[in-house]
């Protein structure tokens, strides 16, 4: 019988050849103590994959055991036209090239919501480009209509990149703007737009959108209003390891202050059809190392999530041994952000059964959750009917790559 997670760390500590700095970190992890900034950098610089996996999995199992979470969700991407010019983005089209993109109105967005009237989805995830006409009143109108139509559908919508622009245009403070959106029906925020906080890198890849302080402040105001949110980091491009730890440190400090973050989602840079296509993508090994260091460093975050739609199903399965306890949701091919950047999943869609089996195949315990991590269904012992996969499980969505 194999060793449990704690025994594996103790075995590491008995290795006389292990670097003293790494041994000190392993001792801290075993004792439940916080690691420092410099120790975070050391993990990236000297921590081998096996070592990092042992530490990250110990923390993961201490927090969640074998539980692995997913939800039933769909995306709405109101536009891929954008006033900003992020160098890494394969998705957006600048205003001057808007003929290549799409811009939805509220009715078109509601048409997508209605497609799921007879489906057991629990969340709509909304994010996209930034355009002047999709302003405060536009989104508030959609939130109200969506809540009136389906009150139980959780609205997880827009990032600080969108809100910063919208609130500035409406002449509202971040707190006033978030309060207005919450009263209109907003339930929580996704984690996008964080990229890399350090100005040295942010100026090179996303100079014209909200800065780190503005991004963090909008999340802080949402937390003050008792809304939960997620956080991301775009890694694997021109940043160095200390930039990644700086990013996590800022998140860790805000989480110490508010406790409002639920999950951290590392997002892999993909180099298809963007202004940084000359930058090679990092390996799957680096993906797993990054998940593991994230789990070790962000001790006050409950969940580390890997987006299977961005990294592919195989890597998502592997990530569950490197600190990850959530692989996102069913998606139903409603997002183009990842596929347009060259992700493995060009039509990201999985049935509940497929997600459950993906998790089971690596010995983990599948749990369907809602957005706030309340358990909806424990799938540990659920047996699917043979023909479940043959049944139509979703209504097909309209193709939103055309102008609507």
């Amino acid at each position: 019988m194999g060793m449990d997670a704690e025994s594996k760390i103790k075995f590491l500590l008995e290795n006389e050849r292990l670097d003293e700095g790494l041994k000190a970190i392993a001792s801290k992890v075993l004792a439940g103590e916080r690691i420092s900034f410099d120790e975070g950098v050391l993990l990236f610089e000297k921590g081998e994959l096996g070592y990092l996996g042992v530490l990250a999995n110990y923390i993961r199992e201490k927090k969640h055991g074998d539980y692995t979470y997913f939800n039933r969700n769909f995306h709405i991407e109101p536009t891929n036209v954008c006033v900003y010019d992020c160098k890494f983005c394969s998705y957006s089209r600048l205003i001057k090239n808007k003929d290549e993109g799409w811009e939805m109105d509220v009715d078109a967005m509601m048409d997508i919501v209605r497609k799921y009237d007879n489906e057991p989805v629990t969340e709509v995830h909304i994010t996209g480009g930034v355009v002047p006409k999709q302003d405060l009143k536009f989104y508030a109108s959609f939130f109200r209509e969506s809540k009136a139509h389906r009150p139980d559908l959780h609205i997880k919508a827009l990032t600080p990149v969108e809100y910063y622009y919208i609130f500035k245009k409406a002449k509202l403070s971040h707190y006033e703007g978030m309060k207005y959106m919450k009263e209109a029906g907003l339930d929580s925020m996704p984690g996008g737009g964080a990229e890399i906080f350090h100005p040295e890198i942010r100026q090179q890849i996303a100079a014209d959108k909200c800065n780190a302080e503005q991004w963090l402040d909008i999340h802080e105001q949402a937390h003050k209003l008792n809304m939960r949110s997620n956080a991301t980091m775009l890694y694997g491009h021109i940043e160095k390891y200390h930039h990644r730890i700086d990013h996590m440190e800022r998140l860790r400090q805000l989480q110490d202050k508010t406790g409002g973050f639920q999950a951290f989602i590392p997002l892999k840079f993909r180099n298809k059809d963007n202004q940084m296509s000359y930058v090679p993508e990092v390996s799957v090994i680096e993906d797993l190392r990054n998940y593991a260091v994230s789990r070790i460093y962000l001790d006050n975050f409950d969940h580390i999530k890997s987006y299977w739609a961005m990294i592919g199903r195989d890597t998502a399965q592997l990530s569950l041994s490197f600190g990850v306890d959530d692989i996102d949701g069913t998606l139903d091919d409603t997002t183009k952000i990842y596929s347009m950047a060259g992700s493995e999943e060009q039509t990201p869609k999985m049935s509940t059964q497929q997600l459950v089996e993906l998790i089971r195949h690596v010995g983990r315990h599948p749990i369907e959750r809602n957005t706030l991590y309340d358990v909806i269904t424990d799938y540990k012992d659920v047996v699917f009917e043979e023909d479940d996969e043959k049944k139509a499980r979703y209504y097909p969505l309209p193709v939103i790559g055309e102008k609507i």
Side-chain angles (χ1 to χ4, degrees), residues 156-181:
K156 184 173 79 176
L158 309 184
T159 72
V161 177
E162 289 120 313
Y163 285 130
Y164 177 75
Y165 182 91
I166 289 167
F167 298 160
K168 189 175 180 182
K169 192 165 179 267
K171 296 182 170 57
L172 292 176
S173 70
H174 295 165
Y175 180 82
E176 291 167 338
M178 291 310 300
K179 186 170 184 287
Y180 184 89
M181 289 304 201

PDB file of all heavy atoms in Angstrom, residues 156-181:
ATOM      1  N   LYS A 156     -22.108  35.320 -12.553  1.00  0.00           N
ATOM      2  CA  LYS A 156     -20.690  35.609 -12.285  1.00  0.00           C
ATOM      3  C   LYS A 156     -20.192  36.415 -13.479  1.00  0.00           C
ATOM      4  O   LYS A 156     -20.019  35.861 -14.564  1.00  0.00           O
ATOM      5  CB  LYS A 156     -19.906  34.301 -12.122  1.00  0.00           C
ATOM      6  CG  LYS A 156     -18.443  34.517 -11.741  1.00  0.00           C
ATOM      7  CD  LYS A 156     -17.739  33.200 -11.430  1.00  0.00           C
ATOM      8  CE  LYS A 156     -17.347  32.468 -12.693  1.00  0.00           C
ATOM      9  NZ  LYS A 156     -16.583  31.232 -12.406  1.00  0.00           N
ATOM     10  N   ALA A 157     -20.011  37.712 -13.276  1.00  0.00           N
ATOM     11  CA  ALA A 157     -19.870  38.547 -14.474  1.00  0.00           C
ATOM     12  C   ALA A 157     -18.813  39.637 -14.352  1.00  0.00           C
ATOM     13  O   ALA A 157     -18.698  40.307 -13.325  1.00  0.00           O
ATOM     14  CB  ALA A 157     -21.214  39.202 -14.797  1.00  0.00           C
ATOM     15  N   LEU A 158     -18.084  39.798 -15.422  1.00  0.00           N
ATOM     16  CA  LEU A 158     -17.178  40.903 -15.716  1.00  0.00           C
ATOM     17  C   LEU A 158     -15.989  40.964 -14.761  1.00  0.00           C
ATOM     18  O   LEU A 158     -16.076  40.616 -13.594  1.00  0.00           O
ATOM     19  CB  LEU A 158     -17.917  42.242 -15.721  1.00  0.00           C
ATOM     20  CG  LEU A 158     -19.177  42.312 -16.582  1.00  0.00           C
ATOM     21  CD1 LEU A 158     -19.760  43.722 -16.565  1.00  0.00           C
ATOM     22  CD2 LEU A 158     -18.900  41.867 -18.011  1.00  0.00           C
ATOM     23  N   THR A 159     -14.895  41.434 -15.287  1.00  0.00           N
ATOM     24  CA  THR A 159     -13.656  41.560 -14.522  1.00  0.00           C
ATOM     25  C   THR A 159     -13.404  43.034 -14.207  1.00  0.00           C
ATOM     26  O   THR A 159     -14.075  43.919 -14.760  1.00  0.00           O
ATOM     27  CB  THR A 159     -12.477  41.027 -15.342  1.00  0.00           C
ATOM     28  OG1 THR A 159     -12.194  41.955 -16.408  1.00  0.00           O
ATOM     29  CG2 THR A 159     -12.778  39.653 -15.925  1.00  0.00           C
ATOM     30  N   PRO A 160     -12.432  43.336 -13.357  1.00  0.00           N
ATOM     31  CA  PRO A 160     -12.102  44.742 -13.097  1.00  0.00           C
ATOM     32  C   PRO A 160     -11.723  45.526 -14.349  1.00  0.00           C
ATOM     33  O   PRO A 160     -11.858  46.755 -14.364  1.00  0.00           O
ATOM     34  CB  PRO A 160     -10.920  44.640 -12.135  1.00  0.00           C
ATOM     35  CG  PRO A 160     -11.178  43.390 -11.391  1.00  0.00           C
ATOM     36  CD  PRO A 160     -11.728  42.439 -12.423  1.00  0.00           C
ATOM     37  N   VAL A 161     -11.271  44.823 -15.385  1.00  0.00           N
ATOM     38  CA  VAL A 161     -10.945  45.528 -16.636  1.00  0.00           C
ATOM     39  C   VAL A 161     -12.205  46.179 -17.203  1.00  0.00           C
ATOM     40  O   VAL A 161     -12.208  47.364 -17.576  1.00  0.00           O
ATOM     41  CB  VAL A 161     -10.326  44.553 -17.661  1.00  0.00           C
ATOM     42  CG1 VAL A 161     -10.061  45.263 -18.985  1.00  0.00           C
ATOM     43  CG2 VAL A 161      -9.050  43.943 -17.108  1.00  0.00           C
ATOM     44  N   GLU A 162     -13.293  45.411 -17.238  1.00  0.00           N
ATOM     45  CA  GLU A 162     -14.566  45.961 -17.712  1.00  0.00           C
ATOM     46  C   GLU A 162     -15.126  46.974 -16.721  1.00  0.00           C
ATOM     47  O   GLU A 162     -15.551  48.069 -17.100  1.00  0.00           O
ATOM     48  CB  GLU A 162     -15.584  44.836 -17.925  1.00  0.00           C
ATOM     49  CG  GLU A 162     -15.275  43.953 -19.122  1.00  0.00           C
ATOM     50  CD  GLU A 162     -15.060  42.496 -18.764  1.00  0.00           C
ATOM     51  OE1 GLU A 162     -14.315  42.214 -17.800  1.00  0.00           O
ATOM     52  OE2 GLU A 162     -15.621  41.634 -19.448  1.00  0.00           O
ATOM     53  N   TYR A 163     -15.124  46.613 -15.430  1.00  0.00           N
ATOM     54  CA  TYR A 163     -15.725  47.503 -14.429  1.00  0.00           C
ATOM     55  C   TYR A 163     -14.982  48.824 -14.310  1.00  0.00           C
ATOM     56  O   TYR A 163     -15.610  49.878 -14.144  1.00  0.00           O
ATOM     57  CB  TYR A 163     -15.782  46.803 -13.067  1.00  0.00           C
ATOM     58  CG  TYR A 163     -16.862  45.763 -12.968  1.00  0.00           C
ATOM     59  CD1 TYR A 163     -16.582  44.476 -12.505  1.00  0.00           C
ATOM     60  CD2 TYR A 163     -18.179  46.043 -13.345  1.00  0.00           C
ATOM     61  CE1 TYR A 163     -17.578  43.513 -12.418  1.00  0.00           C
ATOM     62  CE2 TYR A 163     -19.172  45.076 -13.265  1.00  0.00           C
ATOM     63  CZ  TYR A 163     -18.864  43.822 -12.796  1.00  0.00           C
ATOM     64  OH  TYR A 163     -19.855  42.869 -12.717  1.00  0.00           O
ATOM     65  N   TYR A 164     -13.675  48.809 -14.384  1.00  0.00           N
ATOM     66  CA  TYR A 164     -12.908  50.049 -14.280  1.00  0.00           C
ATOM     67  C   TYR A 164     -13.332  51.028 -15.369  1.00  0.00           C
ATOM     68  O   TYR A 164     -13.578  52.213 -15.108  1.00  0.00           O
ATOM     69  CB  TYR A 164     -11.409  49.757 -14.379  1.00  0.00           C
ATOM     70  CG  TYR A 164     -10.571  51.011 -14.350  1.00  0.00           C
ATOM     71  CD1 TYR A 164     -10.375  51.715 -13.156  1.00  0.00           C
ATOM     72  CD2 TYR A 164      -9.983  51.507 -15.509  1.00  0.00           C
ATOM     73  CE1 TYR A 164      -9.615  52.875 -13.130  1.00  0.00           C
ATOM     74  CE2 TYR A 164      -9.225  52.669 -15.489  1.00  0.00           C
ATOM     75  CZ  TYR A 164      -9.044  53.348 -14.298  1.00  0.00           C
ATOM     76  OH  TYR A 164      -8.302  54.505 -14.276  1.00  0.00           O
ATOM     77  N   TYR A 165     -13.437  50.520 -16.582  1.00  0.00           N
ATOM     78  CA  TYR A 165     -13.857  51.365 -17.717  1.00  0.00           C
ATOM     79  C   TYR A 165     -15.297  51.845 -17.524  1.00  0.00           C
ATOM     80  O   TYR A 165     -15.602  53.026 -17.704  1.00  0.00           O
ATOM     81  CB  TYR A 165     -13.721  50.559 -19.012  1.00  0.00           C
ATOM     82  CG  TYR A 165     -14.078  51.322 -20.259  1.00  0.00           C
ATOM     83  CD1 TYR A 165     -13.115  52.039 -20.972  1.00  0.00           C
ATOM     84  CD2 TYR A 165     -15.392  51.329 -20.753  1.00  0.00           C
ATOM     85  CE1 TYR A 165     -13.444  52.738 -22.126  1.00  0.00           C
ATOM     86  CE2 TYR A 165     -15.728  52.026 -21.901  1.00  0.00           C
ATOM     87  CZ  TYR A 165     -14.750  52.738 -22.583  1.00  0.00           C
ATOM     88  OH  TYR A 165     -15.087  53.432 -23.716  1.00  0.00           O
ATOM     89  N   ILE A 166     -16.181  50.930 -17.155  1.00  0.00           N
ATOM     90  CA  ILE A 166     -17.609  51.252 -16.998  1.00  0.00           C
ATOM     91  C   ILE A 166     -17.832  52.280 -15.887  1.00  0.00           C
ATOM     92  O   ILE A 166     -18.583  53.250 -16.054  1.00  0.00           O
ATOM     93  CB  ILE A 166     -18.406  49.954 -16.714  1.00  0.00           C
ATOM     94  CG1 ILE A 166     -18.478  49.084 -17.975  1.00  0.00           C
ATOM     95  CG2 ILE A 166     -19.811  50.264 -16.210  1.00  0.00           C
ATOM     96  CD1 ILE A 166     -18.956  47.659 -17.697  1.00  0.00           C
ATOM     97  N   PHE A 167     -17.176  52.091 -14.747  1.00  0.00           N
ATOM     98  CA  PHE A 167     -17.379  52.992 -13.605  1.00  0.00           C
ATOM     99  C   PHE A 167     -16.780  54.369 -13.871  1.00  0.00           C
ATOM    100  O   PHE A 167     -17.345  55.391 -13.479  1.00  0.00           O
ATOM    101  CB  PHE A 167     -16.778  52.399 -12.331  1.00  0.00           C
ATOM    102  CG  PHE A 167     -17.395  51.091 -11.906  1.00  0.00           C
ATOM    103  CD1 PHE A 167     -16.711  50.239 -11.048  1.00  0.00           C
ATOM    104  CD2 PHE A 167     -18.653  50.701 -12.351  1.00  0.00           C
ATOM    105  CE1 PHE A 167     -17.269  49.030 -10.650  1.00  0.00           C
ATOM    106  CE2 PHE A 167     -19.218  49.488 -11.967  1.00  0.00           C
ATOM    107  CZ  PHE A 167     -18.518  48.655 -11.110  1.00  0.00           C
ATOM    108  N   LYS A 168     -15.641  54.389 -14.534  1.00  0.00           N
ATOM    109  CA  LYS A 168     -15.011  55.670 -14.865  1.00  0.00           C
ATOM    110  C   LYS A 168     -15.914  56.461 -15.795  1.00  0.00           C
ATOM    111  O   LYS A 168     -16.123  57.675 -15.619  1.00  0.00           O
ATOM    112  CB  LYS A 168     -13.649  55.417 -15.510  1.00  0.00           C
ATOM    113  CG  LYS A 168     -12.812  56.670 -15.689  1.00  0.00           C
ATOM    114  CD  LYS A 168     -11.427  56.318 -16.220  1.00  0.00           C
ATOM    115  CE  LYS A 168     -10.584  57.594 -16.393  1.00  0.00           C
ATOM    116  NZ  LYS A 168      -9.245  57.292 -16.954  1.00  0.00           N
ATOM    117  N   LYS A 169     -16.493  55.799 -16.781  1.00  0.00           N
ATOM    118  CA  LYS A 169     -17.397  56.443 -17.736  1.00  0.00           C
ATOM    119  C   LYS A 169     -18.660  56.945 -17.029  1.00  0.00           C
ATOM    120  O   LYS A 169     -19.205  58.004 -17.376  1.00  0.00           O
ATOM    121  CB  LYS A 169     -17.768  55.425 -18.821  1.00  0.00           C
ATOM    122  CG  LYS A 169     -18.465  55.991 -20.043  1.00  0.00           C
ATOM    123  CD  LYS A 169     -18.423  54.963 -21.173  1.00  0.00           C
ATOM    124  CE  LYS A 169     -19.129  55.497 -22.408  1.00  0.00           C
ATOM    125  NZ  LYS A 169     -20.535  55.132 -22.495  1.00  0.00           N
ATOM    126  N   ALA A 170     -19.119  56.184 -16.013  1.00  0.00           N
ATOM    127  CA  ALA A 170     -20.344  56.555 -15.286  1.00  0.00           C
ATOM    128  C   ALA A 170     -20.061  57.516 -14.132  1.00  0.00           C
ATOM    129  O   ALA A 170     -21.000  57.930 -13.432  1.00  0.00           O
ATOM    130  CB  ALA A 170     -21.016  55.302 -14.754  1.00  0.00           C
ATOM    131  N   LYS A 171     -18.774  57.847 -13.936  1.00  0.00           N
ATOM    132  CA  LYS A 171     -18.364  58.743 -12.844  1.00  0.00           C
ATOM    133  C   LYS A 171     -18.788  58.204 -11.472  1.00  0.00           C
ATOM    134  O   LYS A 171     -19.297  58.929 -10.615  1.00  0.00           O
ATOM    135  CB  LYS A 171     -18.908  60.161 -13.064  1.00  0.00           C
ATOM    136  CG  LYS A 171     -18.354  60.840 -14.313  1.00  0.00           C
ATOM    137  CD  LYS A 171     -18.880  62.254 -14.485  1.00  0.00           C
ATOM    138  CE  LYS A 171     -18.153  63.006 -15.582  1.00  0.00           C
ATOM    139  NZ  LYS A 171     -18.198  62.344 -16.888  1.00  0.00           N
ATOM    140  N   LEU A 172     -18.558  56.911 -11.278  1.00  0.00           N
ATOM    141  CA  LEU A 172     -18.841  56.265 -10.000  1.00  0.00           C
ATOM    142  C   LEU A 172     -17.548  55.753  -9.382  1.00  0.00           C
ATOM    143  O   LEU A 172     -16.623  55.347 -10.094  1.00  0.00           O
ATOM    144  CB  LEU A 172     -19.783  55.064 -10.200  1.00  0.00           C
ATOM    145  CG  LEU A 172     -21.227  55.341 -10.631  1.00  0.00           C
ATOM    146  CD1 LEU A 172     -21.949  54.021 -10.877  1.00  0.00           C
ATOM    147  CD2 LEU A 172     -21.967  56.159  -9.576  1.00  0.00           C
ATOM    148  N   SER A 173     -17.484  55.774  -8.057  1.00  0.00           N
ATOM    149  CA  SER A 173     -16.352  55.134  -7.387  1.00  0.00           C
ATOM    150  C   SER A 173     -16.471  53.622  -7.562  1.00  0.00           C
ATOM    151  O   SER A 173     -17.533  53.106  -7.929  1.00  0.00           O
ATOM    152  CB  SER A 173     -16.354  55.477  -5.893  1.00  0.00           C
ATOM    153  OG  SER A 173     -17.445  54.821  -5.248  1.00  0.00           O
ATOM    154  N   HIS A 174     -15.386  52.915  -7.277  1.00  0.00           N
ATOM    155  CA  HIS A 174     -15.432  51.455  -7.395  1.00  0.00           C
ATOM    156  C   HIS A 174     -16.490  50.867  -6.464  1.00  0.00           C
ATOM    157  O   HIS A 174     -17.220  49.944  -6.847  1.00  0.00           O
ATOM    158  CB  HIS A 174     -14.061  50.847  -7.076  1.00  0.00           C
ATOM    159  CG  HIS A 174     -12.990  51.221  -8.059  1.00  0.00           C
ATOM    160  ND1 HIS A 174     -11.658  51.050  -7.823  1.00  0.00           N
ATOM    161  CD2 HIS A 174     -13.080  51.754  -9.317  1.00  0.00           C
ATOM    162  CE1 HIS A 174     -10.954  51.454  -8.867  1.00  0.00           C
ATOM    163  NE2 HIS A 174     -11.801  51.895  -9.778  1.00  0.00           N
ATOM    164  N   TYR A 175     -16.581  51.394  -5.263  1.00  0.00           N
ATOM    165  CA  TYR A 175     -17.575  50.868  -4.320  1.00  0.00           C
ATOM    166  C   TYR A 175     -18.994  51.154  -4.817  1.00  0.00           C
ATOM    167  O   TYR A 175     -19.854  50.267  -4.813  1.00  0.00           O
ATOM    168  CB  TYR A 175     -17.372  51.475  -2.933  1.00  0.00           C
ATOM    169  CG  TYR A 175     -18.380  50.966  -1.918  1.00  0.00           C
ATOM    170  CD1 TYR A 175     -18.192  49.740  -1.284  1.00  0.00           C
ATOM    171  CD2 TYR A 175     -19.531  51.699  -1.622  1.00  0.00           C
ATOM    172  CE1 TYR A 175     -19.122  49.251  -0.374  1.00  0.00           C
ATOM    173  CE2 TYR A 175     -20.468  51.215  -0.714  1.00  0.00           C
ATOM    174  CZ  TYR A 175     -20.257  49.996  -0.094  1.00  0.00           C
ATOM    175  OH  TYR A 175     -21.179  49.510   0.798  1.00  0.00           O
ATOM    176  N   GLU A 176     -19.236  52.401  -5.245  1.00  0.00           N
ATOM    177  CA  GLU A 176     -20.578  52.765  -5.737  1.00  0.00           C
ATOM    178  C   GLU A 176     -20.959  51.915  -6.952  1.00  0.00           C
ATOM    179  O   GLU A 176     -22.101  51.464  -7.075  1.00  0.00           O
ATOM    180  CB  GLU A 176     -20.606  54.243  -6.129  1.00  0.00           C
ATOM    181  CG  GLU A 176     -20.508  55.201  -4.951  1.00  0.00           C
ATOM    182  CD  GLU A 176     -20.231  56.635  -5.386  1.00  0.00           C
ATOM    183  OE1 GLU A 176     -19.711  56.836  -6.507  1.00  0.00           O
ATOM    184  OE2 GLU A 176     -20.518  57.558  -4.591  1.00  0.00           O
ATOM    185  N   GLY A 177     -19.990  51.694  -7.837  1.00  0.00           N
ATOM    186  CA  GLY A 177     -20.256  50.909  -9.037  1.00  0.00           C
ATOM    187  C   GLY A 177     -20.577  49.465  -8.716  1.00  0.00           C
ATOM    188  O   GLY A 177     -21.544  48.891  -9.245  1.00  0.00           O
ATOM    189  N   MET A 178     -19.801  48.867  -7.820  1.00  0.00           N
ATOM    190  CA  MET A 178     -20.052  47.466  -7.467  1.00  0.00           C
ATOM    191  C   MET A 178     -21.385  47.331  -6.726  1.00  0.00           C
ATOM    192  O   MET A 178     -22.112  46.352  -6.919  1.00  0.00           O
ATOM    193  CB  MET A 178     -18.911  46.918  -6.613  1.00  0.00           C
ATOM    194  CG  MET A 178     -17.582  46.748  -7.353  1.00  0.00           C
ATOM    195  SD  MET A 178     -17.685  45.846  -8.931  1.00  0.00           S
ATOM    196  CE  MET A 178     -18.328  44.267  -8.402  1.00  0.00           C
ATOM    197  N   LYS A 179     -21.713  48.311  -5.900  1.00  0.00           N
ATOM    198  CA  LYS A 179     -22.994  48.282  -5.173  1.00  0.00           C
ATOM    199  C   LYS A 179     -24.156  48.344  -6.167  1.00  0.00           C
ATOM    200  O   LYS A 179     -25.157  47.631  -6.042  1.00  0.00           O
ATOM    201  CB  LYS A 179     -23.061  49.456  -4.197  1.00  0.00           C
ATOM    202  CG  LYS A 179     -24.276  49.460  -3.275  1.00  0.00           C
ATOM    203  CD  LYS A 179     -24.106  50.537  -2.199  1.00  0.00           C
ATOM    204  CE  LYS A 179     -25.270  50.495  -1.203  1.00  0.00           C
ATOM    205  NZ  LYS A 179     -26.506  51.018  -1.765  1.00  0.00           N
ATOM    206  N   TYR A 180     -24.027  49.195  -7.175  1.00  0.00           N
ATOM    207  CA  TYR A 180     -25.060  49.334  -8.205  1.00  0.00           C
ATOM    208  C   TYR A 180     -25.247  48.015  -8.951  1.00  0.00           C
ATOM    209  O   TYR A 180     -26.375  47.560  -9.180  1.00  0.00           O
ATOM    210  CB  TYR A 180     -24.659  50.450  -9.173  1.00  0.00           C
ATOM    211  CG  TYR A 180     -25.683  50.768 -10.233  1.00  0.00           C
ATOM    212  CD1 TYR A 180     -26.681  51.716 -10.003  1.00  0.00           C
ATOM    213  CD2 TYR A 180     -25.657  50.133 -11.479  1.00  0.00           C
ATOM    214  CE1 TYR A 180     -27.630  52.021 -10.980  1.00  0.00           C
ATOM    215  CE2 TYR A 180     -26.588  50.422 -12.463  1.00  0.00           C
ATOM    216  CZ  TYR A 180     -27.571  51.365 -12.202  1.00  0.00           C
ATOM    217  OH  TYR A 180     -28.503  51.648 -13.178  1.00  0.00           O
ATOM    218  N   MET A 181     -24.134  47.386  -9.300  1.00  0.00           N
ATOM    219  CA  MET A 181     -24.208  46.127 -10.041  1.00  0.00           C
ATOM    220  C   MET A 181     -24.798  45.016  -9.175  1.00  0.00           C
ATOM    221  O   MET A 181     -25.596  44.199  -9.655  1.00  0.00           O
ATOM    222  CB  MET A 181     -22.823  45.724 -10.544  1.00  0.00           C
ATOM    223  CG  MET A 181     -22.296  46.609 -11.669  1.00  0.00           C
ATOM    224  SD  MET A 181     -23.425  46.672 -13.099  1.00  0.00           S
ATOM    225  CE  MET A 181     -22.313  47.186 -14.401  1.00  0.00           C
TER     226      MET A 181
END
